[in-house]
């Protein structure tokens, strides 16, 4: 026994030394790996962020530029610029231009007449009845106009401050030409620079910064407005360039080479740069239509692209594994020699007493292994004849227990997956945005028939107004939940293409997207989606409603009026022409959107549905009460009607009072 203890002690010393060496090597390799991974992840983040910012810019800029180009191509625009003093031409132009003014993001437009040099500007507060000032080649501030006319392009962007208007914007300048190609002037619009910087330069993530430069690397957008080169379009030489932020000539050359590759067609470039003395991983993307470059600079440390806490925990786990390994090895001798001898000795004693229920096995090739196998064979021969039945019973019992355990585990896994899916679907509801936008003046009742369901609430808002709506997808449970993901994706795409202000157009676009998605689906597969959208303009204009097989209910003054949508849902066989309905709302009116699950819920003595007319009457009765109390009353009425009956369908009810958002 003393020899065994001595061997165990020496083995522990050897293993401890080996573990210490392995730990030192692992720490060195781990540090190098972490640094490499951090740089690679930062470069990947910079690349993806640059592409994302480029797409954001394209989405807004292409919309504004397309509107400005359509504005420039109007026959009324060309006619008035050719005859500025003609009152009839001016009136026709003003009437058509007002529609474009409301469509521009900043709700403003400008017109510069080449013949007279007059500059007109219109927004929400002022009209273009009189020129604001007269352009002159001798004025340095007017150089942007003549520089735009001198370019080969008919459209250009310019970041500039108009001192007369007192506004700093990203201006969209479009040349208007007559039939012979001679310039008649410029028209266009602009985006407020502060909002532009907040939306497209602020990354929204610590350690990530964005900026925009033109083809000469003059800075067009920067988190610090002091770094922007205003009116660079009209300047032959720019002082505020990206090169000024780079200290090393090699980095300037590398950046120039990357920009050349992008201009030749490469999708994105990444490179390490030192911006204002700070090392960054920089992603660069190119906008050919504007000759602009979008740069996303990532600080690998501040951006926390690598979870260093995780690697710390991993190192602790490694240390624990090494410690366990050393501990296990220290007892190896005991298990390999002393314990087998003890088991063999006890087995001999049991056999001498007539007990043949002995389990002995050894794969060792030495004398101890051979002796163990001999004793095991002797005991097995006796046990084989006396314990066959017990063995078979035990095996069957064990197999049954294992099967039950697997079935129970599978059931738990499915239930946990469904609960997690329900948490995800619930988190996708716009609860927080609705609370911020409407406060106590709204409620949302979302009751899926199963753990997950096919109903969803949608909400979007911008500076022009708010869009709120419901969708009711075919199916329940998991299929219905997947349908909501497809419908939500179609909604997001439609909003990105069309904006918020035209609910009927959104329904038509979502219908087209869904039909394209399910074009190859089997005909027996239900893919229809009922939807309803309300657009609440920020300027107090009447609310616009459009629905597909869903209605809007407006309760005020003791009565409730139903505004039905089109008779068919989206992606059905028949296609409806959707239209916007302007709804004038009383100050105390309550608007309600509901899926048909509430009306169809079975209950009562005869198992009939709750009913649409009963629902309308209940809304009229509850209209004067606070919205939170209305939700409680609706739930109570539903529970009283259904009793012990299960939910027949997913139920979603959204109620709100329309109030203009607060101004800042």
């Amino acid at each position: 026994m003393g020899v065994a203890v001595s061997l165990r002690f020496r083995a522990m010393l050897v293993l401890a030394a080996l573990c210490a060496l392995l730990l030192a090597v692992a720490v060195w390799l781990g540090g190098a790996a972490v640094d490499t991974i951090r740089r690679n992840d930062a470069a990947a983040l910079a690349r993806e962020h640059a592409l994302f910012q480029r797409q954001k810019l394209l989405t807004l800029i292409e919309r504004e530029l397309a509107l400005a180009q359509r504005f420039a191509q109007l026959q009324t625009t060309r006619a008035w610029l050719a005859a500025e003093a003609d009152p009839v031409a001016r009136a026709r132009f003003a009437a058509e231009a007002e529609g474009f003014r409301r469509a521009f993001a900043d709700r403003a437009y400008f017109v510069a007449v080449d013949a007279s040099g007059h500059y007109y500007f219109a927004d929400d507060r002022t009209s273009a009845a009189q020129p604001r000032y007269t352009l002159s080649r001798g004025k340095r501030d007017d150089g942007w106009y003549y520089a735009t006319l001198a370019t080969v392009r008919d459209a250009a962007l310019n970041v500039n401050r108009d001192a007369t208007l007192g506004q700093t914007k990203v201006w969209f300048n479009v040349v208007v030409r007559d039939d012979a190609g001679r310039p008649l002037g410029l028209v266009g619009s602009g985006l407020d620079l502060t909002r532009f910087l907040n939306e497209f330069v602020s990354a929204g993530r610590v350690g990530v910064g964005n900026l925009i430069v033109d083809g000469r690397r003059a800075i067009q957008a920067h988190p610090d407005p002091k770094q922007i080169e205003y009116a660079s379009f009209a300047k032959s030489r720019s002082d505020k360039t990206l090169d000024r932020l780079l200290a090393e000539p090699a980095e300037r050359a590398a950046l120039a080479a990357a920009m050349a590759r992008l201009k030749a067609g490469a999708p994105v470039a990444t490179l390490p740069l030192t911006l204002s003395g700070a090392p960054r991983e920089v992603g660069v993307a190119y906008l050919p239509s504007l000759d602009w470059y979008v740069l996303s600079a990532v600080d690998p440390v501040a951006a926390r692209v690598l979870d260093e806490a995780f690697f710390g925990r991993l190192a602790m786990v490694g240390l624990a594994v090494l410690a366990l390994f050393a501990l296990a090895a220290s007892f190896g001798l005991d298990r390999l020699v002393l314990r087998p001898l003890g088991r063999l000795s006890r087995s001999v004693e049991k056999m001498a007493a007539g007990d043949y229920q002995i389990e002995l096995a050894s794969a060792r090739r030495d004398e101890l292994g051979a002796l163990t196998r001999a004793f095991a064979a002797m005991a097995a021969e006796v046990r084989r004849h006396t314990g066959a039945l017990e063995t078979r019973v035990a095996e069957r019992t064990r197999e049954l227990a294992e099967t039950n355990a697997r079935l129970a585990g599978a059931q738990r896994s499915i239930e946990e997956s469904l609960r997690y899916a329900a948490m995800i679907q619930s988190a996708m509801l716009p609860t927080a945005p609705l609370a911020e936008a409407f406060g106590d003046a709204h409620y949302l009742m979302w009751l899926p028939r199963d753990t997950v369901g096919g109903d969803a609430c949608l909400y979007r808002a911008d500076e022009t107004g708010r869009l709120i709506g419901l969708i009711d997808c075919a199916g329940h449970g998991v299929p219905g939940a997947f349908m909501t993901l497809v419908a939500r994706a179609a909604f997001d795409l439609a909003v990105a293409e069309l904006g918020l202000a035209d609910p009927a157009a959104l329904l038509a676009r979502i219908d087209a997207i869904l039909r394209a998605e399910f074009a190859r689906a089997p005909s027996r597969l239900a893919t229809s989606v009922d939807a309803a959208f309300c657009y609440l303009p920020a300027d107090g204009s009447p609310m616009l409603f459009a629905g597909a097989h869903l209605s809007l209910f407006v309760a005020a003054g003791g009565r409730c009026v139903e505004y039905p949508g089109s008779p068919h849902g989206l992606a059905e066989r028949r296609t409806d022409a959707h239209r916007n309905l302007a709804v004038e709302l009383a100050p105390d009116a309550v608007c309600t959107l509901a899926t048909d699950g509430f009306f169809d819920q079975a209950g009562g003595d005869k198992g009939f549905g709750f009913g649409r007319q009963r629902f309308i009457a209940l809304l009229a009765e509850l209209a004067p009460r606070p919205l939170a109390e209305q939700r409680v009353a609706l739930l109570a009425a539903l529970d009283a009607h259904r009793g012990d009956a299960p939910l027949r369908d997913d139920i979603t009810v959204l109620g709100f009072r329309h109030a203009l958002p607060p101004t800042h």
Side-chain angles (χ1 to χ4, degrees), residues 176-191:
V176 182
R177 300 184 183 277
D178 60 14
D179 294 336
R182 293 184 297 269
L184 297 174
L186 292 182
V187 299
S189 182
L191 291 174

Side-chain angles (χ1 to χ4, degrees), residues 376-399:
M378 292 171 58
E381 187 66 26
V382 176
R383 188 171 61 250
R384 186 177 300 113
H385 296 286
T386 60
L389 181 60
E390 292 81 359
T391 301
R392 286 196 295 272
V393 171
E395 289 176 353
R396 297 297 183 269
T397 303
R398 184 175 62 255
E399 291 173 359

Side-chain angles (χ1 to χ4, degrees), residues 161-417:
R161 173 174 175 78
D162 191 309
T164 303
L165 300 178
Q167 298 187 20
T168 304
K169 295 190 176 188
V170 180
W171 299 94
F172 295 81
N173 304 325
V174 180
V175 181
V176 182
R177 300 184 183 277
D178 60 14
D179 294 336
R182 293 184 297 269
L184 297 174
L186 292 182
V187 299
S189 182
L191 291 174
D192 179 73
L193 183 61
T194 300
R195 183 163 66 91
F196 181 81
L197 293 179
N198 289 338
E199 187 168 354
F200 297 106
V201 177
S202 299
R205 175 170 178 173
V206 176
V208 181
N210 301 305
L211 61 152
I212 302 171
V213 300
D214 62 12
R216 297 180 301 167
R217 295 199 284 279
I219 298 176
Q220 304 298 306
H222 192 281
D224 181 5
K226 296 180 181 178
Q227 301 289 346
I228 298 175
E229 182 67 83
Y230 296 101
S232 63
F233 188 78
K235 297 179 180 179
S236 59
R237 179 180 177 275
S238 297
D239 295 326
K240 297 178 180 179
T241 65
L242 184 60
D243 291 345
R244 188 168 56 87
L245 304 180
L246 300 174
E248 297 296 331
E251 291 187 345
R252 298 175 187 171
L255 178 62
M259 294 172 70
R261 291 195 302 272
L262 292 171
K263 202 164 188 176
V268 66
T270 58
L271 65 164
L273 296 176
T274 304
L275 296 176
S276 301
R280 298 288 186 266
E281 291 291 336
V282 179
V284 189
Y286 182 54
L287 285 77
S289 59
L290 305 176
D291 195 26
W292 276 13
Y293 296 83
V294 179
L295 289 85
S296 292
V298 177
D299 183 345
V301 177
R304 299 184 66 85
V305 295
L306 187 65
D307 189 353
E308 297 182 5
F310 168 76
F311 282 93
R313 293 191 295 271
L314 186 62
M316 295 299 295
V317 171
L319 288 174
V321 170
L322 286 174
L324 290 175
F325 174 74
L327 183 62
S330 68
F331 292 100
L333 183 61
D334 184 51
R335 290 197 299 270
L336 291 174
V337 178
L338 300 179
R339 291 186 184 180
L341 286 174
R343 287 197 298 269
L344 185 57
S345 177
R346 290 190 295 272
S347 298
V348 171
E349 293 175 356
K350 292 176 66 176
M351 290 184 65
D355 184 1
Y356 299 99
Q357 299 298 322
I358 299 172
E359 294 289 343
L360 285 174
S362 177
R364 297 171 60 161
R365 299 298 179 181
D366 55 10
E367 291 79 0
L368 186 58
L371 183 59
T372 301
R373 288 191 292 273
F375 272 101
M378 292 171 58
E381 187 66 26
V382 176
R383 188 171 61 250
R384 186 177 300 113
H385 296 286
T386 60
L389 181 60
E390 292 81 359
T391 301
R392 286 196 295 272
V393 171
E395 289 176 353
R396 297 297 183 269
T397 303
R398 184 175 62 255
E399 291 173 359
L400 181 59
E402 291 174 353
T403 301
N404 289 336
R406 287 194 296 270
L407 290 175
Q411 178 67 22
R412 287 194 300 271
S413 178
I414 293 172
E415 292 176 353
E416 290 173 0
S417 297

Side-chain angles (χ1 to χ4, degrees), residues 80-81 83-85 90 93 110-121 128-137 139 142 144-146 162 184-187:
W80 181 54
L81 292 183
E84 182 183 4
R90 175 191 292 271
F93 165 78
F110 73 86
V111 179
V113 184
D114 190 66
S116 63
H118 289 161
Y119 180 90
Y120 297 84
F121 181 81
Q130 297 296 328
R132 302 299 295 272
Y133 56 84
T134 301
L135 298 164
S136 172
R137 289 186 180 272
K139 292 183 181 179
D142 296 341
W144 62 271
Y145 173 79
Y146 302 100
D162 191 309
L184 297 174
L186 292 182
V187 299

Side-chain angles (χ1 to χ4, degrees), residues 446-627:
W446 184 68
L447 303 173
R449 191 193 74 170
D450 303 313
T451 307
V452 293
D455 287 0
C457 176
L458 304 173
Y459 177 74
R460 294 289 188 278
D462 59 18
E463 68 279 359
T464 65
R466 297 170 287 179
L467 182 72
I468 188 170
L470 296 183
I471 56 173
D472 182 1
C473 302
H476 313 287
V478 174
F482 274 99
M483 279 292 296
T484 64
L485 297 179
V486 177
R488 186 185 297 272
F491 169 76
D492 291 340
L493 179 58
V495 168
E497 293 177 355
L498 306 177
L500 308 178
D502 193 342
L506 287 175
L507 289 176
R509 181 57 182 139
I510 294 171
D511 182 55
I513 295 170
L514 293 177
R515 291 180 186 277
E517 287 293 328
F518 295 112
R520 298 183 180 180
S523 59
R524 65 180 180 274
L525 182 64
T527 59
S528 63
V529 176
D530 298 342
F533 295 135
C534 293
Y535 176 68
L536 313 173
D539 60 2
S541 302
M543 181 178 73
L544 297 181
F545 165 73
H549 203 238
L550 290 183
S551 299
L552 166 68
F553 303 92
V554 179
R559 58 192 299 266
C560 181
V561 178
E562 178 182 2
Y563 297 90
S566 55
H568 298 93
L570 307 179
E572 290 189 3
R573 287 188 177 182
R574 296 188 59 180
T575 302
D576 291 328
H578 305 288
R579 62 185 183 89
N580 290 322
L581 179 64
V583 181
E584 292 281 358
L585 298 176
D588 60 342
V590 177
C591 301
T592 304
L593 298 174
T595 59
D596 56 7
F598 200 113
F599 320 136
D600 298 340
Q601 176 58 47
D605 296 336
K606 298 182 179 180
F608 292 155
F610 190 90
R612 182 180 297 268
Q613 295 305 317
R614 183 177 176 185
F615 180 75
I616 292 174
L618 184 58
L619 291 181
E621 177 186 346
L622 297 175
R625 298 166 63 175
L627 272 296

